[in-house]
mmCIF file of all heavy atoms in Angstrom:
data_model
loop_
_atom_site.group_PDB
_atom_site.id
_atom_site.type_symbol
_atom_site.label_atom_id
_atom_site.label_comp_id
_atom_site.label_asym_id
_atom_site.label_seq_id
_atom_site.Cartn_x
_atom_site.Cartn_y
_atom_site.Cartn_z
ATOM 1 N N ARG A 116 192.320 100.363 -63.595
ATOM 2 C CA ARG A 116 192.160 98.852 -63.410
ATOM 3 C C ARG A 116 193.233 98.383 -62.447
ATOM 4 O O ARG A 116 192.912 97.632 -61.546
ATOM 5 C CB ARG A 116 192.355 98.169 -64.773
ATOM 6 C CG ARG A 116 192.010 96.702 -64.669
ATOM 7 C CD ARG A 116 192.234 95.933 -66.010
ATOM 8 N NE ARG A 116 193.665 95.879 -66.343
ATOM 9 C CZ ARG A 116 194.216 96.019 -67.560
ATOM 10 N NH1 ARG A 116 193.350 96.257 -68.567
ATOM 11 N NH2 ARG A 116 195.446 95.880 -67.736
ATOM 12 N N LYS A 156 202.832 108.197 -67.936
ATOM 13 C CA LYS A 156 203.696 109.320 -67.754
ATOM 14 C C LYS A 156 204.765 109.381 -68.834
ATOM 15 O O LYS A 156 205.213 108.325 -69.324
ATOM 16 C CB LYS A 156 204.446 109.166 -66.357
ATOM 17 C CG LYS A 156 203.803 109.691 -65.171
ATOM 18 C CD LYS A 156 203.450 111.154 -65.141
ATOM 19 C CE LYS A 156 204.713 112.089 -64.971
ATOM 20 N NZ LYS A 156 204.295 113.513 -64.917
ATOM 21 N N THR A 157 205.213 110.579 -69.144
ATOM 22 C CA THR A 157 206.319 110.736 -70.100
ATOM 23 C C THR A 157 207.623 110.852 -69.244
ATOM 24 O O THR A 157 207.617 111.570 -68.275
ATOM 25 C CB THR A 157 206.159 112.087 -70.846
ATOM 26 O OG1 THR A 157 204.934 112.045 -71.558
ATOM 27 C CG2 THR A 157 207.302 112.235 -71.855
ATOM 28 N N VAL A 211 215.222 113.605 -48.053
ATOM 29 C CA VAL A 211 215.211 113.491 -46.655
ATOM 30 C C VAL A 211 215.142 114.862 -45.957
ATOM 31 O O VAL A 211 214.417 115.059 -44.954
ATOM 32 C CB VAL A 211 216.395 112.728 -46.103
ATOM 33 C CG1 VAL A 211 216.425 112.624 -44.613
ATOM 34 C CG2 VAL A 211 216.395 111.297 -46.733
ATOM 35 N N VAL A 232 214.658 104.093 -45.056
ATOM 36 C CA VAL A 232 215.506 104.408 -46.147
ATOM 37 C C VAL A 232 216.858 103.729 -45.920
ATOM 38 O O VAL A 232 217.431 103.957 -44.859
ATOM 39 C CB VAL A 232 215.715 105.965 -46.301
ATOM 40 C CG1 VAL A 232 216.688 106.252 -47.444
ATOM 41 C CG2 VAL A 232 214.397 106.648 -46.553
ATOM 42 N N ARG A 261 216.407 94.505 -26.951
ATOM 43 C CA ARG A 261 215.867 94.383 -25.618
ATOM 44 C C ARG A 261 214.529 93.664 -25.562
ATOM 45 O O ARG A 261 214.197 92.879 -24.733
ATOM 46 C CB ARG A 261 215.796 95.753 -24.972
ATOM 47 C CG ARG A 261 215.771 95.727 -23.502
ATOM 48 C CD ARG A 261 216.040 97.118 -22.978
ATOM 49 N NE ARG A 261 215.112 97.304 -21.866
ATOM 50 C CZ ARG A 261 214.613 98.448 -21.572
ATOM 51 N NH1 ARG A 261 214.891 99.531 -22.246
ATOM 52 N NH2 ARG A 261 213.751 98.538 -20.516
#
Side-chain angles (χ1 to χ4, degrees):
R116 188 182 69 219
K156 274 298 289 183
T157 303
V211 178
V232 177
R261 203 165 135 213

